[in-house]
Amino acid sequence: MDIAILPSLLAADCGCLAEECRRIAASGAEALHLDIMDAHFVPNLSFGPDVAAMAHRTVPLLPLNVHLMMTEPHRYAARFMDAGADTVQIHLEAACDVSATLTEIRRRGVRTGVTLKPATPAEAVFRFLTQVDEVLVMTVEPGYGGQTFMHAMLPKLAVIRREASRLGLENLRILVDGGINTETAAACAAHGANGFVAGSALFHLADLQAGVAAMRAAAATAYGRELGM
Ligand code: DX5
Ligand code: ZN
């Protein structure tokens, strides 16, 4: 199973974001995760399309994974696609026609993803699985970095992985986001996750490349251990 590591720019030194983007690109990570918060869907504000454009301009070969924590993602998705997003994640709990928004993102040739808050059950994503390239399971309440990982989310990963396999979607990327470090990445991989968003656990490291490699190795070793498939 392909394992992907996605450093989250939210934890980077915001005094030198371009340099931090170059550091991520040099680390061997599969993509850069960009958190977009509208101070409505979540109680925080973060970046806008200009930061996405800066990241894409600075490291054009590094895929940009845009996580829209917005009540109305359908009104802003185009601006992030124009800015160079490789993948656009929208929340299942957003106030929009999720299926129509996914269709519009795919029509633009951009990868699609749906995100579930901790309280949203796994089954809520089943009807969208054939419309997405990835599913993002929040392992903290969205809105801030540096929070504690919620172990109660582990069974949700296995339910989604089993349903994806039942549908023949073997390549579906199941990501986790929030409180991810090498240890919690291994626990998530054991339950079927193969994509790992990490902010504070990676950005406090002097050697980001070694941190990314260690997280990938721990996940690859543990992958599927709890699935019994
Ligand atoms: C939180 C964001 C996460 C966050 C992860 O709402 O979606 O991407 O930046 O940060 P850590 O890894 O520090 O929990
Ligand atoms: Zn995120």
Side-chain angles (χ1 to χ4, degrees):
M1 178 59 81
D2 284 346
I3 301 289
I5 309 297
L6 296 81
S8 168
L9 200 67
L10 192 69
D13 177 352
C14 60
C16 53
L17 285 181
E19 191 43 46
E20 294 281 62
C21 289
R22 282 187 279 271
R23 204 156 73 97
I24 295 170
S27 75
E30 278 70 20
L32 183 159
H33 182 81
L34 194 65
D35 291 307
I36 310 301
M37 302 176 184
D38 66 354
H40 190 268
F41 184 76
V42 290
N44 200 2
L45 266 175
S46 61
F47 308 117
D50 295 347
V51 170
M54 177 282 297
H56 187 56
R57 211 173 36 248
T58 306
V59 284
L61 301 181
L62 183 67
L64 202 50
N65 184 277
V66 175
H67 177 190
L68 296 182
M69 285 165 274
M70 307 183 92
T71 300
E72 299 184 306
H74 56 295
R75 295 183 53 199
Y76 298 93
R79 290 180 63 186
F80 288 96
M81 293 189 277
D82 294 344
D86 166 82
T87 306
V88 174
Q89 284 275 351
I90 64 172
H91 267 267
L92 273 187
E93 308 86 6
C96 75
D97 181 335
V98 171
S99 183
T101 307
L102 294 172
T103 302
E104 175 54 20
I105 295 168
R106 269 217 168 139
R107 191 190 64 74
R108 295 269 313 254
V110 173
R111 296 174 77 253
T112 55
V114 283
T115 309
L116 292 76
K117 280 185 170 182
T120 303
E123 291 74 14
V125 80
F126 285 8
R127 64 193 177 96
F128 301 107
L129 288 180
T130 55
Q131 279 193 278
V132 296
D133 300 287
E134 51 188 60
V135 173
L136 175 59
V137 173
M138 292 303 305
T139 45
V140 297
E141 275 302 328
Y144 296 93
Q147 299 182 75
T148 303
F149 176 80
M150 298 167 74
H151 285 82
M153 295 302 110
L154 291 172
K156 195 189 274 189
L157 301 169
V159 171
I160 297 170
R161 180 58 73 196
R162 289 198 184 96
E163 179 66 8
S165 296
R166 191 182 70 80
L167 295 170
L169 303 169
E170 304 305 338
N171 295 327
L172 181 75
R173 187 186 278 176
I174 299 179
L175 294 114
V176 285
D177 186 9
I180 299 300
N181 56 36
T182 301
E183 189 195 321
T184 54
C188 293
H191 289 78
N194 64 328
F196 306 89
V197 175
S200 42
L202 287 177
F203 276 94
H204 80 277
L205 299 171
D207 188 343
L208 189 61
Q209 189 167 6
V212 167
M215 192 175 284
R216 182 180 295 111
T221 305
Y223 185 80
R225 202 178 281 156
E226 301 294 333
L227 286 176
M229 287 165 63

